[in-house]
């Protein structure tokens, strides 16, 4: 058994007031962003969509940026016994703001409800004592700026100006032999729904064909 110093993995560890249902609910909310990483991984493997991979990459970059800023500013948390490392900016708030900003630009109406989720996660960090309001606000600002910037650079400009440097980079990412072997695609640049309707129609036609074949065999 390893006897060296131990620390808490605060990605999946949170302290809350066990006498308060609100505190318990916000503890669950503050842990919810970790679900996104599993979702990114599942979607990336299943869909192999350029936009999903860009978002996932940006999320990792945001975590690296957050760590760099924290080590540079070295601002303590409001309650130093909660969480590990410094508190400025709030990584949870930044994480959700990036996710919401990117998706809101991508699908404005459908993802408006994400603002509520982002707000709940940000408030949970304040209520549970992990961050000050200033740390949370800056986390939100940095996350939103990162999400908007990456969307413009990786999605909007290549789509509007395919012959630009950024457009050529996107073309290379999609057309190089490795990407072709992995069947990487950018369905949303071709179809508004990313090709979901066409896939469903192909599935439905094959389903009905097999059902009809089964009925015919049973007769």
């Amino acid at each position: 058994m390893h006897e060296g110093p131990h620390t808490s993995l605060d990605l999946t560890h949170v302290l809350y007031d066990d006498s308060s249902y609100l505190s318990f609910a916000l503890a669950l909310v503050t842990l919810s962003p970790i679900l996104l990483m599993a979702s990114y991984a599942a979607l990336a493997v299943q869909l192999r969509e350029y936009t999903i991979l860009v978002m996932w990459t940006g999320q990792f970059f945001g975590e690296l940026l957050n760590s760099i800023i924290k080590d540079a500013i070295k601002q303590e948390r409001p309650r130093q016994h909660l969480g590990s490392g410094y508190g400025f900016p709030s990584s949870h708030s930044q994480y959700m703001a990036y996710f919401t900003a990117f998706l809101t630009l991508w699908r404005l109406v459908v993802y408006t409800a994400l603002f509520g989720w982002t707000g709940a996660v940000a408030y949970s960090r304040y209520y549970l004592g992990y961050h000050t309001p200033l740390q949370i606000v800056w986390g939100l600002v940095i996350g939103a700026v990162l999400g908007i910037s990456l969307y413009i650079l990786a999605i909007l400009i290549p789509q509007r100006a395919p012959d630009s440097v950024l457009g050529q980079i996107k073309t290379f990412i999609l057309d190089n032999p490795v990407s072709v072997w992995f069947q990487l695609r950018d369905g949303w640049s071709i179809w508004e729904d990313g090709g979901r309707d066409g896939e469903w129609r192909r599935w439905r036609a094959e389903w009905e064909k097999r059902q009809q074949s089964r009925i015919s065999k049973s007769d």
Side-chain angles (χ1 to χ4, degrees):
M1 180 181 294
H2 178 64
E3 298 296 339
H6 291 71
T7 188
S8 169
L9 180 62
D10 58 4
L11 287 173
T12 56
H13 174 76
V14 61
L15 298 175
Y16 66 96
D17 179 1
D18 62 359
S19 67
S20 168
Y21 288 113
L22 176 60
S23 183
F24 174 70
L26 289 176
L28 295 178
V29 169
T30 208
L31 289 173
S32 64
I34 199 172
L35 299 174
L36 290 179
M37 279 300 178
S39 299
Y40 279 132
L43 288 172
V45 171
Q46 179 64 28
L47 300 180
R48 305 176 193 183
E49 276 284 352
Y50 170 81
T51 302
I52 300 298
L53 294 174
V54 167
M55 283 187 64
W56 196 13
T57 301
Q59 204 82 69
F60 278 115
F61 176 76
E63 292 300 292
L64 175 62
L65 177 63
N66 183 269
S67 178
I68 292 173
I69 295 174
K70 281 182 175 176
D71 288 339
I73 296 180
K74 302 183 186 301
Q75 185 178 104
E76 298 292 345
R77 296 174 182 270
R79 300 177 187 174
Q80 296 185 26
H81 69 285
L82 295 178
S84 59
Y86 298 108
F88 182 92
S90 167
S91 60
H92 284 70
S93 300
Q94 178 185 320
Y95 190 101
M96 289 304 301
Y98 164 81
F99 179 69
T100 300
F102 192 105
L103 280 185
T104 297
L105 285 176
W106 185 27
R107 289 292 185 269
L108 183 59
V109 176
V110 176
Y111 295 101
T112 300
L114 289 172
F115 282 107
W117 185 12
T118 299
V121 170
Y123 179 72
S124 74
R125 304 306 287 174
Y126 168 74
Y127 182 90
L128 296 171
Y130 280 83
H131 291 286
T132 66
L134 179 65
Q135 292 169 353
I136 292 169
V137 168
W138 273 101
L140 291 170
V141 170
I142 293 171
V145 169
L146 178 60
I148 292 171
S149 299
L150 186 59
Y151 179 85
I152 292 173
L153 293 174
I155 306 297
L156 191 60
I157 292 178
Q159 187 177 46
R160 300 286 179 84
D163 294 328
S164 65
V165 173
L166 293 173
Q168 292 175 13
I169 291 174
K170 176 183 176 181
T171 298
F172 172 77
I173 292 173
L174 291 171
D175 287 349
N176 73 81
V178 175
S179 297
V180 173
W181 187 83
F182 275 107
Q183 298 182 344
L184 178 65
R185 68 177 190 177
D186 184 19
W188 281 283
S189 67
I190 307 298
W191 304 285
E192 186 176 353
D193 65 349
R196 185 194 61 80
D197 182 68
E199 290 180 354
W200 182 86
R201 290 179 184 277
R202 288 195 299 272
W203 167 83
R204 189 68 196 178
E206 184 63 25
W207 173 262
E208 292 177 352
K209 177 181 176 182
R210 294 189 180 189
Q211 291 295 96
Q212 186 63 40
S213 176
R214 182 180 62 82
I215 294 173
S216 299
K217 289 180 179 179
S218 64
D219 291 342

